[in-house]
Amino acid sequence: MSASSPLPIIPELPPSAADDYEFKFVGEGASNVVFEVIVQPHDESSRNLFQWNLLRVPKAGTKAHTYGELIQYWETVVKPLFEPEDLVQHQLVGLGGDAVVARLNEVLEKEDDTRRVDFRGSRVAKAGYGLLVEDMRQRHPDDLTLEFKPKWLAQSPNAPASAIRCRTCAREAFKHHTKPPAPANPTILCALDYLTCSSSPPILATILHHLAPSGRRPAPETPQQQTEQTQQHGQLSRWLQTNTVLPRLRAAQLANDRTGPLGADAHDAQFQLAMTLRDCTCFVRIPADPSAPVEAKLADLDKKNWAAKLGYWQATERRLIEGGYYAGTEVPRQETDCQLERVAKGAGEGGKGEV
Ligand SMILES: O=P(O)(O)O[C@@H]1[C@@H](OP(=O)(O)O)[C@H](OP(=O)(O)O)[C@H](O)[C@H](OP(=O)(O)O)[C@H]1OP(=O)(O)O
Ligand SMILES: Nc1ncnc2c1ncn2[C@@H]1O[C@H](COP(=O)(O)OP(=O)(O)OP(=O)(O)O)[C@@H](O)[C@H]1O
């Protein structure tokens, strides 16, 4: 938003929305909740707003910035780093009063039993604005959709010389140490593999196994569905090998962090941006229609509350170094599959070939 561009018109939910609209829980993170909004068929203007968009609202009691600040940061700092098609688009929407927030909280309360344990009981904040975010879910029941966090695509500048794990694998090993992984999902995907899979078929196979395990989709019921799924698998492989968005994200993470958390201060705007870039989500949609293009977009590129988080980031980095999580010497040893360890062991020893 430059100083000279006109202020965008912010749409507003009508006062009757709490009673007239249906709100369905879609997902949540530590700071936000996302809902699908279903409007009356005759309400054409609202139908246009919500046909391809979801409603994202802030949770109460977090240290996150207001949506006005998030939009300003995204427009001026994040957006210039990417191509428009790399980013999930969004716009502010007025919530039309506390009745909508109360309604959203009723929906959330009903979900409590199935929510992530540490999120249970958290509620939507009494905010004036939400965000309309481009809906990245399936548009057709046979579309293949994926969601993952690329995290740290390059090593932390603070990693010790003895590191055989990247920052993402070290952090995951620490997490598994304090909270053992679910039996269904025991292995860790090394974030560095996203960038090297283009030149290594075994690494590509590992990523495909993590992102699109065959058991997660219903088995094809017709020859047409079988063909579609094979095509989509091929499209996903090609996307992983040729996309430009993850290399661009990695380059921006590297360019904006020369010191790592231990050398940064709360006023270091570049480091702060790097931390935003390390906590985004990548959505991929591969349409069932083979002539339609693959869409892959980054979301959740929110400005971090640096003053509130710097202490946590520094303490995490120290814990990973001092606890031996980078060096792989923690006790008991956690199972990881880091590219750095594979390289250190030598590509020949049953590893995954050149990386
Ligand atoms: O600290 P990390 O690396 O575990 O990342 C946190 C995320 O954990 P996860 O991606 O699951 O490992 C964490 O994600 P969850 O929603 O807890 O899964 C948040 O994104 C957190 O950011 P914020 O406090 O909401 O600003 C994230 O915090 P920072 O990115 O600010 O460190
Ligand atoms: N544009 C979208 N399309 C489809 N689903 C979405 C979209 N945005 C969010 N979601 C769903 O809602 C969930 C939570 O959204 P979001 O990432 O905005 O929360 P958050 O609190 O910012 O997360 P985090 O704690 O990781 O920072 C996502 O994991 C995803 O399942």
Side-chain angles (χ1 to χ4, degrees):
M1 250 179 296
S2 77
S4 57
S5 57
L7 286 174
I9 296 166
I10 300 173
E12 174 100 12
L13 294 183
S16 60
D19 296 323
D20 291 352
Y21 295 1
E22 191 187 340
F23 299 92
K24 284 190 179 167
F25 174 77
V26 171
E28 66 180 319
S31 311
N32 304 280
V33 196
V34 174
F35 295 90
E36 178 182 349
V37 182
I38 300 161
V39 307
Q40 306 283 346
H42 56 78
D43 186 349
E44 207 163 305
S45 61
S46 293
R47 214 180 60 212
N48 288 339
L49 276 186
F50 290 110
Q51 189 171 18
W52 306 117
N53 291 312
L54 298 170
L55 177 65
R56 186 187 196 220
V57 285
K59 281 189 178 175
T62 76
K63 294 198 164 76
H65 294 290
T66 65
Y67 277 8
E69 286 169 288
L70 297 190
I71 289 261
Q72 174 76 14
Y73 186 76
W74 188 89
E75 287 282 344
T76 54
V77 179
V78 173
K79 194 171 137 186
L81 299 173
F82 296 95
E83 297 296 327
E85 64 272 19
D86 292 342
L87 300 173
V88 168
Q89 301 297 317
H90 56 219
Q91 68 174 118
L92 278 175
V93 60
L95 294 178
D98 289 349
V100 167
V101 172
R103 184 82 199 85
L104 296 176
N105 278 328
E106 282 170 19
V107 175
L108 210 44
E109 196 177 341
K110 287 205 182 105
E111 294 289 330
D112 263 344
D113 289 347
T114 54
R115 295 170 71 192
R116 211 173 90 176
V117 177
D118 52 335
F119 292 161
R120 256 173 227 168
S122 65
R123 296 289 178 257
V124 174
K126 276 192 182 176
Y129 294 95
L131 280 179
L132 288 173
V133 297
E134 191 181 348
D135 187 350
M136 291 302 294
R137 297 174 306 165
Q138 292 171 311
R139 290 201 171 169
H140 179 279
D142 291 337
D143 288 351
L144 172 61
T145 54
L146 310 165
E147 170 187 344
F148 62 95
K149 282 185 165 189
K151 302 300 287 193
W152 294 52
L153 293 171
Q155 181 60 297
S156 166
N158 300 134
S162 57
I164 55 156
R165 288 196 188 117
C166 70
R167 172 55 165 73
T168 309
C169 286
R171 170 94 180 107
E172 290 299 312
F174 172 75
K175 278 202 222 165
H176 283 193
H177 194 190
T178 47
K179 183 172 175 269
N185 199 10
T187 52
I188 294 168
L189 178 61
C190 175
L192 306 182
D193 283 348
Y194 287 119
L195 276 301
T196 41
C197 69
S198 57
S199 56
S200 166
I203 290 179
L204 178 64
T206 301
I207 297 195
L208 287 168
H209 174 75
H210 270 85
L211 292 185
S214 49
R216 219 174 56 188
R217 302 189 83 187
E221 285 172 9
T222 61
Q224 191 200 336
Q225 277 181 339
Q226 170 77 61
T227 311
E228 270 168 16
Q229 289 196 9
T230 309
Q231 269 163 351
Q232 287 168 325
H233 203 258
Q235 282 174 294
L236 177 58
S237 301
R238 272 192 299 286
W239 177 79
L240 284 164
Q241 292 173 300
T242 59
N243 79 85
T244 52
V245 62
L246 295 180
R248 200 171 281 133
L249 179 63
R250 178 178 185 272
Q253 290 180 357
L254 275 171
N256 287 287
D257 183 8
R258 303 279 176 213
T259 65
L262 298 182
D265 66 52
H267 307 289
D268 182 345
Q270 281 198 293
F271 171 73
Q272 296 151 359
L273 169 61
M275 293 310 283
T276 288
L277 297 167
R278 288 164 172 156
D279 193 37
C280 64
T281 300
C282 183
F283 289 98
V284 182
R285 178 165 50 214
I286 304 175
D289 173 358
S291 64
V294 172
E295 292 172 275
K297 302 186 182 206
L298 303 178
D300 196 9
L301 283 156
D302 292 343
K303 178 182 183 180
K304 294 270 177 189
N305 186 338
W306 312 315
K309 293 220 77 160
L310 186 62
Y312 163 75
W313 291 330
Q314 292 181 332
T316 301
E317 201 65 22
R318 277 193 209 99
R319 203 177 284 141
L320 298 183
I321 297 168
E322 290 161 14
Y325 293 96
Y326 276 114
T329 53
E330 78 280 355
V331 182
R333 178 85 151 73
Q334 302 299 310
E335 178 76 23
T336 49
D337 182 27
C338 189
Q339 184 181 116
L340 298 185
E341 187 170 12
R342 274 182 251 134
V343 171
K345 276 185 179 161
E349 292 175 26
K352 291 182 177 163
E354 293 296 317
V355 287

XYZ file of all heavy atoms in Angstrom, residues 48-129:
662
model
N -20.641 -13.761 -3.169
C -19.421 -13.495 -3.937
C -18.200 -13.408 -3.031
O -17.117 -13.862 -3.373
C -19.554 -12.193 -4.736
C -20.513 -12.380 -5.893
O -20.754 -13.508 -6.322
N -21.086 -11.287 -6.375
N -18.403 -12.808 -1.837
C -17.267 -12.667 -0.906
C -16.773 -14.017 -0.414
O -15.579 -14.235 -0.248
C -17.689 -11.880 0.339
C -17.679 -10.363 0.315
C -17.983 -9.832 1.708
C -16.331 -9.834 -0.153
N -17.717 -14.925 -0.151
C -17.340 -16.164 0.527
C -17.262 -17.383 -0.380
O -16.958 -18.477 0.081
C -18.306 -16.440 1.692
C -18.119 -15.450 2.811
C -19.071 -14.499 3.082
C -16.950 -15.453 3.555
C -18.885 -13.563 4.091
C -16.743 -14.537 4.570
C -17.717 -13.589 4.840
N -17.529 -17.199 -1.670
C -17.499 -18.375 -2.551
C -16.102 -18.988 -2.631
O -15.931 -20.188 -2.569
C -17.982 -17.997 -3.943
C -18.170 -19.222 -4.796
C -18.863 -18.894 -6.110
O -18.893 -17.721 -6.522
N -19.410 -19.895 -6.748
N -15.080 -18.137 -2.768
C -13.716 -18.652 -2.913
C -12.829 -18.257 -1.732
O -11.611 -18.353 -1.804
C -13.078 -18.144 -4.217
C -13.895 -18.431 -5.439
C -14.450 -17.521 -6.287
C -14.263 -19.723 -5.951
N -15.144 -18.152 -7.287
C -15.041 -19.511 -7.106
C -14.014 -21.041 -5.548
C -15.580 -20.558 -7.852
C -14.549 -22.083 -6.291
C -15.307 -21.834 -7.430
N -13.448 -17.731 -0.677
C -12.666 -17.259 0.468
C -13.122 -17.895 1.760
O -14.297 -18.223 1.926
C -12.818 -15.736 0.628
C -12.150 -14.974 -0.492
O -11.006 -15.240 -0.830
N -12.873 -14.028 -1.083
N -12.180 -18.011 2.693
C -12.490 -18.441 4.063
C -12.350 -17.227 4.981
O -11.727 -16.223 4.605
C -11.504 -19.533 4.490
C -11.534 -20.825 3.667
C -10.355 -21.732 4.038
C -12.860 -21.560 3.889
N -12.908 -17.362 6.174
C -12.815 -16.268 7.151
C -11.770 -16.636 8.206
O -11.895 -17.668 8.886
C -14.176 -16.053 7.821
C -14.224 -14.991 8.924
C -13.937 -13.596 8.367
C -15.589 -15.009 9.628
N -10.728 -15.815 8.317
C -9.675 -16.031 9.327
C -9.856 -14.982 10.418
O -9.969 -13.784 10.111
C -8.312 -15.886 8.673
C -7.124 -16.227 9.568
C -5.831 -15.878 8.845
N -4.673 -16.510 9.455
C -3.504 -15.885 9.594
N -3.332 -14.647 9.167
N -2.486 -16.512 10.166
N -9.897 -15.429 11.658
C -10.098 -14.485 12.777
C -9.041 -14.742 13.851
O -8.549 -15.868 13.998
C -11.525 -14.627 13.387
C -12.568 -14.004 12.487
C -11.858 -16.072 13.678
N -8.689 -13.680 14.619
C -7.641 -13.852 15.641
C -8.168 -14.517 16.898
O -9.330 -14.342 17.261
C -7.228 -12.397 15.939
C -8.433 -11.576 15.622
C -9.170 -12.289 14.515
N -7.287 -15.264 17.559
C -7.662 -15.849 18.853
C -7.460 -14.825 19.960
O -6.584 -13.949 19.853
C -6.776 -17.064 19.147
C -7.184 -18.306 18.422
C -6.383 -19.494 18.943
C -6.826 -20.762 18.256
N -6.002 -21.914 18.642
N -8.233 -14.983 21.029
C -8.081 -14.099 22.189
C -6.836 -14.503 22.983
O -6.429 -15.663 22.960
C -9.319 -14.227 23.078
N -6.228 -13.509 23.627
C -5.162 -13.782 24.604
C -3.803 -14.097 24.011
O -2.926 -14.582 24.716
N -3.592 -13.838 22.720
C -2.256 -14.073 22.148
C -1.512 -12.731 22.110
O -2.106 -11.676 22.321
C -2.317 -14.629 20.709
O -2.645 -13.560 19.818
C -3.335 -15.750 20.584
N -0.220 -12.810 21.787
C 0.565 -11.570 21.680
C 0.704 -11.138 20.215
O 1.557 -10.336 19.876
C 1.942 -11.787 22.306
C 1.882 -12.035 23.817
C 3.250 -11.809 24.439
C 3.151 -11.670 25.945
N 2.938 -12.928 26.629
N -0.145 -11.711 19.343
C -0.047 -11.394 17.911
C -0.476 -9.944 17.652
O -1.211 -9.355 18.436
C -0.942 -12.344 17.122
N -0.007 -9.397 16.536
C -0.402 -8.041 16.128
C -1.836 -8.035 15.620
O -2.380 -9.087 15.252
C 0.526 -7.543 15.020
C 1.933 -7.347 15.479
N 2.313 -6.339 16.333
C 3.061 -8.039 15.199
C 3.608 -6.411 16.558
N 4.085 -7.440 15.885
N -2.434 -6.837 15.526
C -3.792 -6.730 14.977
C -3.746 -7.040 13.473
O -2.690 -6.928 12.834
C -4.352 -5.307 15.127
O -3.550 -4.430 14.313
C -4.333 -4.839 16.570
N -4.900 -7.394 12.899
C -4.943 -7.698 11.462
C -4.572 -6.478 10.618
O -4.016 -6.621 9.534
C -6.324 -8.241 11.085
C -6.478 -9.729 11.356
C -5.509 -10.450 12.047
C -7.594 -10.415 10.902
C -5.664 -11.809 12.294
C -7.753 -11.783 11.139
C -6.782 -12.469 11.834
O -6.924 -13.824 12.068
N -4.893 -5.279 11.099
C -4.496 -4.069 10.372
C -2.979 -4.017 10.229
O -2.442 -3.750 9.145
N -2.268 -4.307 11.313
C -0.794 -4.301 11.267
C -0.265 -5.439 10.397
O 0.716 -5.266 9.664
C -0.228 -4.441 12.688
C -0.357 -3.176 13.521
C -0.027 -3.441 14.991
O -0.854 -4.090 15.668
O 1.048 -3.012 15.436
N -0.915 -6.610 10.478
C -0.456 -7.746 9.656
C -0.564 -7.425 8.171
O 0.343 -7.709 7.387
C -1.269 -9.020 9.959
C -1.198 -9.607 11.363
C -1.861 -10.992 11.394
C 0.234 -9.715 11.861
N -1.673 -6.803 7.774
C -1.889 -6.456 6.359
C -0.840 -5.451 5.899
O -0.254 -5.580 4.826
C -3.292 -5.835 6.170
C -4.367 -6.900 6.328
C -3.414 -5.101 4.862
C -4.898 -7.449 5.024
N -0.601 -4.443 6.723
C 0.370 -3.393 6.379
C 1.758 -4.014 6.164
O 2.461 -3.705 5.211
C 0.383 -2.370 7.537
C 1.421 -1.276 7.429
C 1.016 -0.222 6.404
O -0.137 -0.183 5.980
N 1.970 0.595 5.988
N 2.145 -4.919 7.056
C 3.456 -5.573 6.982
C 3.532 -6.456 5.732
O 4.512 -6.440 4.986
C 3.657 -6.424 8.246
C 5.030 -7.043 8.375
C 6.129 -6.283 8.753
C 5.228 -8.409 8.137
C 7.391 -6.856 8.887
C 6.486 -8.990 8.268
C 7.556 -8.209 8.646
O 8.797 -8.782 8.774
N 2.483 -7.215 5.502
C 2.450 -8.122 4.343
C 2.595 -7.323 3.050
O 3.373 -7.672 2.167
C 1.134 -8.900 4.375
C 1.011 -9.998 3.367
C 1.393 -11.294 3.520
C 0.444 -9.904 2.048
N 1.101 -12.011 2.385
C 0.523 -11.174 1.458
C -0.126 -8.867 1.317
C 0.059 -11.441 0.179
C -0.580 -9.134 0.024
C -0.491 -10.407 -0.534
N 1.841 -6.215 2.952
C 1.852 -5.406 1.717
C 3.232 -4.785 1.468
O 3.708 -4.767 0.341
C 0.842 -4.258 1.828
C -0.607 -4.684 1.730
C -1.035 -4.968 0.296
O -0.334 -4.565 -0.640
O -2.087 -5.629 0.129
N 3.843 -4.273 2.521
C 5.058 -3.478 2.327
C 6.339 -4.293 2.425
O 7.337 -3.951 1.797
C 5.131 -2.331 3.363
O 5.011 -2.920 4.670
C 4.022 -1.321 3.164
N 6.336 -5.366 3.197
C 7.587 -6.100 3.450
C 7.594 -7.480 2.783
O 8.596 -7.867 2.175
C 7.803 -6.245 4.988
C 9.079 -7.025 5.279
C 7.855 -4.868 5.648
N 6.495 -8.201 2.884
C 6.476 -9.589 2.403
C 6.190 -9.665 0.901
O 6.915 -10.323 0.132
C 5.416 -10.417 3.191
C 5.251 -11.802 2.603
C 5.800 -10.494 4.667
N 5.137 -8.991 0.486
C 4.670 -9.104 -0.907
C 5.770 -8.813 -1.942
O 5.877 -9.537 -2.941
C 3.474 -8.158 -1.107
C 2.681 -8.379 -2.358
C 1.421 -7.524 -2.277
C 1.151 -6.856 -3.596
N 0.035 -5.914 -3.515
N 6.618 -7.795 -1.727
C 7.643 -7.519 -2.745
C 8.657 -8.650 -2.940
O 9.378 -8.658 -3.950
C 8.357 -6.265 -2.193
C 7.388 -5.647 -1.239
C 6.601 -6.779 -0.660
N 8.712 -9.604 -2.012
C 9.703 -10.688 -2.139
C 9.265 -11.795 -3.085
O 10.065 -12.647 -3.471
C 9.953 -11.333 -0.764
C 10.501 -10.445 0.348
C 10.510 -11.214 1.660
C 11.903 -9.966 -0.011
N 7.972 -11.819 -3.435
C 7.414 -12.962 -4.165
C 6.669 -12.517 -5.417
O 6.364 -11.342 -5.589
C 6.454 -13.749 -3.255
C 7.137 -14.363 -2.056
C 7.157 -13.709 -0.828
C 7.789 -15.576 -2.176
C 7.807 -14.264 0.273
C 8.446 -16.144 -1.082
C 8.446 -15.487 0.142
N 6.368 -13.498 -6.268
C 5.472 -13.269 -7.402
C 4.034 -13.327 -6.855
O 3.773 -14.083 -5.912
C 5.648 -14.362 -8.457
C 7.029 -14.414 -9.093
C 7.343 -13.149 -9.885
O 6.402 -12.564 -10.458
O 8.519 -12.748 -9.902
N 3.091 -12.579 -7.465
C 1.715 -12.588 -6.938
C 1.130 -13.997 -6.826
O 0.432 -14.313 -5.862
C 0.938 -11.755 -7.959
C 1.965 -10.947 -8.667
C 3.265 -11.703 -8.605
N 1.481 -14.870 -7.792
C 0.888 -16.219 -7.776
C 1.494 -17.111 -6.687
O 1.026 -18.220 -6.457
C 1.003 -16.885 -9.162
C 2.412 -17.155 -9.645
C 3.022 -15.972 -10.415
O 2.524 -14.840 -10.284
O 4.018 -16.208 -11.142
N 2.555 -16.621 -6.015
C 3.174 -17.405 -4.926
C 2.439 -17.234 -3.601
O 2.744 -17.941 -2.635
C 4.612 -16.928 -4.668
C 5.569 -17.236 -5.801
O 5.244 -18.099 -6.622
O 6.645 -16.606 -5.846
N 1.534 -16.272 -3.525
C 0.975 -15.895 -2.224
C -0.534 -16.072 -2.166
O -1.251 -15.680 -3.097
C 1.301 -14.412 -1.939
C 2.798 -14.079 -1.884
C 3.001 -12.567 -1.775
C 3.481 -14.788 -0.724
N -1.023 -16.649 -1.068
C -2.465 -16.689 -0.810
C -2.909 -15.241 -0.597
O -2.355 -14.529 0.240
C -2.775 -17.549 0.440
C -4.211 -17.361 0.895
C -2.503 -19.024 0.150
N -3.880 -14.812 -1.394
C -4.325 -13.416 -1.307
C -5.315 -13.263 -0.153
O -5.970 -14.223 0.262
C -4.975 -12.989 -2.625
C -4.047 -13.107 -3.823
C -2.811 -12.197 -3.723
O -2.911 -11.042 -3.334
N -1.639 -12.736 -4.054
N -5.420 -12.051 0.342
C -6.344 -11.819 1.458
C -6.790 -10.367 1.489
O -6.194 -9.514 0.845
C -5.688 -12.211 2.796
C -4.392 -11.511 3.051
N -3.315 -12.122 3.635
C -3.998 -10.249 2.788
C -2.328 -11.275 3.709
N -2.706 -10.129 3.210
N -7.846 -10.095 2.235
C -8.293 -8.722 2.441
C -9.035 -8.641 3.776
O -9.559 -9.647 4.268
C -9.189 -8.248 1.289
C -10.520 -8.951 1.216
C -11.438 -8.359 0.140
O -11.812 -9.030 -0.803
N -11.807 -7.109 0.290
N -9.048 -7.429 4.327
C -9.753 -7.242 5.598
C -11.255 -7.323 5.383
O -11.762 -6.948 4.322
C -9.436 -5.852 6.166
C -8.129 -5.674 6.948
C -7.955 -4.205 7.312
C -8.083 -6.551 8.188
N -11.961 -7.793 6.410
C -13.427 -7.778 6.369
C -13.922 -7.380 7.767
O -13.418 -7.905 8.780
C -13.994 -9.154 5.908
C -13.577 -10.275 6.848
C -15.501 -9.120 5.780
N -14.858 -6.434 7.804
C -15.437 -6.046 9.095
C -16.353 -7.158 9.589
O -17.114 -7.739 8.812
N -16.283 -7.457 10.891
C -17.072 -8.583 11.415
C -18.499 -8.173 11.781
O -19.320 -9.023 12.127
C -16.365 -9.221 12.614
C -15.029 -9.898 12.273
C -14.369 -10.458 13.531
C -15.219 -11.012 11.249
N -18.781 -6.880 11.729
C -20.165 -6.431 11.895
C -20.683 -6.512 13.327
O -21.896 -6.532 13.521
N -19.800 -6.608 14.308
C -20.248 -6.574 15.711
C -19.924 -7.858 16.459
O -19.546 -8.875 15.865
N -20.114 -7.812 17.775
C -19.713 -8.925 18.638
C -20.579 -10.176 18.455
O -20.187 -11.275 18.866
C -19.772 -8.506 20.111
C -18.654 -7.525 20.452
O -17.741 -7.374 19.596
O -18.706 -6.913 21.528
N -21.777 -10.017 17.842
C -22.661 -11.184 17.705
C -22.012 -12.259 16.822
O -22.164 -13.460 17.088
C -24.001 -10.751 17.114
N -21.272 -11.827 15.795
C -20.604 -12.812 14.924
C -19.513 -13.536 15.710
O -19.374 -14.765 15.628
C -20.031 -12.120 13.661
C -19.080 -13.055 12.916
C -21.156 -11.681 12.735
N -18.762 -12.771 16.506
C -17.703 -13.401 17.306
C -18.319 -14.427 18.271
O -17.805 -15.545 18.422
C -16.898 -12.320 18.080
C -15.921 -12.969 19.060
C -16.160 -11.411 17.109
N -19.438 -14.056 18.883
C -20.108 -14.987 19.811
C -20.539 -16.259 19.077
O -20.393 -17.382 19.573
C -21.312 -14.297 20.452
N -21.029 -16.086 17.868
C -21.472 -17.225 17.051
C -20.277 -18.129 16.708
O -20.360 -19.358 16.796
C -22.119 -16.664 15.777
C -22.721 -17.636 14.840
C -24.128 -18.065 15.249
N -24.480 -19.295 14.580
C -24.156 -20.513 15.025
N -23.518 -20.681 16.170
N -24.487 -21.592 14.333
N -19.162 -17.514 16.310
C -17.960 -18.293 15.980
C -17.488 -19.072 17.209
O -17.059 -20.230 17.106
C -16.834 -17.362 15.486
C -17.104 -16.601 14.180
C -15.950 -15.650 13.870
C -17.311 -17.560 13.011
N -17.613 -18.448 18.375
C -17.175 -19.138 19.595
C -18.085 -20.307 19.951
O -17.623 -21.304 20.515
C -17.034 -18.145 20.748
C -15.687 -17.436 20.661
O -14.702 -18.018 20.196
N -15.640 -16.183 21.093
N -19.358 -20.206 19.603
C -20.257 -21.359 19.817
C -19.798 -22.540 18.949
O -19.761 -23.686 19.390
C -21.693 -20.998 19.430
C -22.424 -20.162 20.479
C -23.754 -19.622 19.932
O -24.279 -20.162 18.926
O -24.232 -18.640 20.506
N -19.449 -22.204 17.694
C -18.992 -23.262 16.773
C -17.704 -23.898 17.314
O -17.547 -25.128 17.338
C -18.759 -22.674 15.355
C -18.160 -23.718 14.422
C -20.057 -22.117 14.789
N -16.800 -23.039 17.771
C -15.510 -23.518 18.287
C -15.709 -24.397 19.524
O -15.042 -25.435 19.679
C -14.667 -22.287 18.640
C -13.152 -22.357 18.545
C -12.687 -23.035 17.285
C -12.571 -20.942 18.647
N -16.626 -23.980 20.386
C -16.886 -24.745 21.614
C -17.354 -26.165 21.268
O -16.941 -27.137 21.894
C -17.931 -24.013 22.452
C -17.971 -24.498 23.874
C -18.961 -23.710 24.722
O -19.351 -22.582 24.320
O -19.353 -24.234 25.766
N -18.180 -26.262 20.239
C -18.683 -27.588 19.834
C -17.555 -28.477 19.313
O -17.669 -29.693 19.313
C -19.742 -27.438 18.737
C -21.050 -26.896 19.259
C -22.227 -27.311 18.362
C -23.514 -26.707 18.881
N -24.012 -25.584 18.093
N -16.472 -27.852 18.816
C -15.333 -28.612 18.267
C -14.351 -29.027 19.348
O -13.401 -29.774 19.067
C -14.559 -27.755 17.241
C -15.301 -27.412 15.987
C -15.490 -28.623 15.077
O -14.638 -29.534 15.088
O -16.520 -28.655 14.375
N -14.523 -28.516 20.581
C -13.468 -28.651 21.592
C -12.917 -30.074 21.737
O -11.713 -30.266 21.855
C -13.945 -28.136 22.952
C -13.485 -26.688 23.196
O -12.578 -26.231 22.471
O -14.035 -26.026 24.098
N -13.795 -31.079 21.703
C -13.339 -32.458 21.937
C -12.359 -32.945 20.871
O -11.541 -33.821 21.138
C -14.539 -33.427 21.951
C -15.370 -33.216 23.198
O -14.874 -32.527 24.105
O -16.503 -33.724 23.243
N -12.478 -32.403 19.659
C -11.625 -32.909 18.571
C -10.440 -31.974 18.286
O -9.638 -32.261 17.404
C -12.439 -33.056 17.266
O -13.062 -31.804 16.987
C -13.505 -34.136 17.378
N -10.320 -30.874 19.032
C -9.233 -29.919 18.761
C -7.906 -30.409 19.347
O -7.901 -31.257 20.250
C -9.574 -28.546 19.352
C -10.771 -27.915 18.690
C -11.236 -26.687 19.444
N -10.328 -25.563 19.332
C -10.418 -24.462 20.094
N -11.349 -24.365 21.030
N -9.568 -23.471 19.911
N -6.786 -29.861 18.825
C -5.469 -30.199 19.384
C -5.501 -29.856 20.878
O -5.998 -28.779 21.245
C -4.391 -29.383 18.654
C -3.067 -30.095 18.549
C -2.105 -29.328 17.675
N -1.302 -28.382 18.437
C -0.324 -27.640 17.914
N -0.032 -27.745 16.634
N 0.371 -26.802 18.661
N -4.959 -30.755 21.704
C -5.139 -30.619 23.158
C -4.735 -29.230 23.655
O -5.449 -28.607 24.452
C -4.327 -31.720 23.886
C -4.426 -31.555 25.390
C -4.840 -33.078 23.465
N -3.579 -28.715 23.161
C -3.115 -27.411 23.671
C -3.932 -26.239 23.120
O -3.775 -25.104 23.566
C -1.616 -27.204 23.403
C -1.239 -27.425 21.952
O -1.950 -28.167 21.243
O -0.239 -26.847 21.493
N -4.803 -26.488 22.159
C -5.648 -25.405 21.621
C -7.047 -25.403 22.243
O -7.770 -24.407 22.152
C -5.809 -25.530 20.097
C -4.552 -25.274 19.300
C -4.445 -25.715 17.983
C -3.476 -24.586 19.847
C -3.296 -25.480 17.236
C -2.313 -24.349 19.107
C -2.234 -24.800 17.795
N -7.410 -26.530 22.868
C -8.764 -26.664 23.414
C -9.083 -25.540 24.382
O -8.250 -25.181 25.209
C -8.882 -27.986 24.181
C -9.629 -29.017 23.400
C -9.606 -30.356 24.085
N -9.262 -31.361 23.095
C -8.925 -32.600 23.353
N -8.848 -33.015 24.598
N -8.648 -33.427 22.377
N -10.281 -24.995 24.282
C -10.693 -23.940 25.214
C -10.324 -22.551 24.724
O -10.873 -21.562 25.199
N -9.403 -22.427 23.773
C -9.080 -21.086 23.274
C -10.241 -20.588 22.414
O -10.962 -21.379 21.803
C -7.771 -21.084 22.476
O -7.911 -21.856 21.304
N -10.425 -19.277 22.388
C -11.588 -18.689 21.731
C -11.192 -17.538 20.807
O -10.081 -17.023 20.878
C -12.574 -18.161 22.794
C -13.172 -19.258 23.682
C -14.178 -20.130 22.917
N -14.722 -21.200 23.729
C -14.359 -22.479 23.648
N -13.455 -22.884 22.780
N -14.913 -23.388 24.423
N -12.141 -17.131 19.974
C -11.939 -16.012 19.040
C -11.962 -14.700 19.830
O -12.774 -14.535 20.744
C -13.063 -16.018 17.977
C -12.976 -14.793 17.080
C -13.020 -17.306 17.160
N -11.048 -13.778 19.465
C -10.975 -12.479 20.147
C -12.144 -11.582 19.732
O -12.675 -11.724 18.616
C -9.662 -11.794 19.791
N -12.521 -10.665 20.590
C -13.543 -9.675 20.221
C -12.881 -8.630 19.327
O -12.494 -7.549 19.783
C -14.082 -9.001 21.476
C -15.167 -9.781 22.157
C -15.842 -8.926 23.202
C -16.912 -9.745 23.910
N -17.537 -8.996 24.988
N -12.698 -8.978 18.072
C -11.995 -8.096 17.141
C -13.006 -7.448 16.204
O -14.083 -7.998 15.962
C -10.985 -8.900 16.339
N -12.644 -6.286 15.658
C -13.517 -5.621 14.710
C -13.385 -6.203 13.306
O -14.310 -6.117 12.491
N -12.200 -6.778 13.025
C -11.920 -7.242 11.657
C -11.433 -8.686 11.625
O -10.755 -9.150 12.540
C -10.843 -6.366 11.006
C -11.315 -4.950 10.793
C -11.038 -3.964 11.736
C -12.078 -4.610 9.682
C -11.493 -2.660 11.562
C -12.538 -3.323 9.497
C -12.249 -2.352 10.437
O -12.707 -1.083 10.261
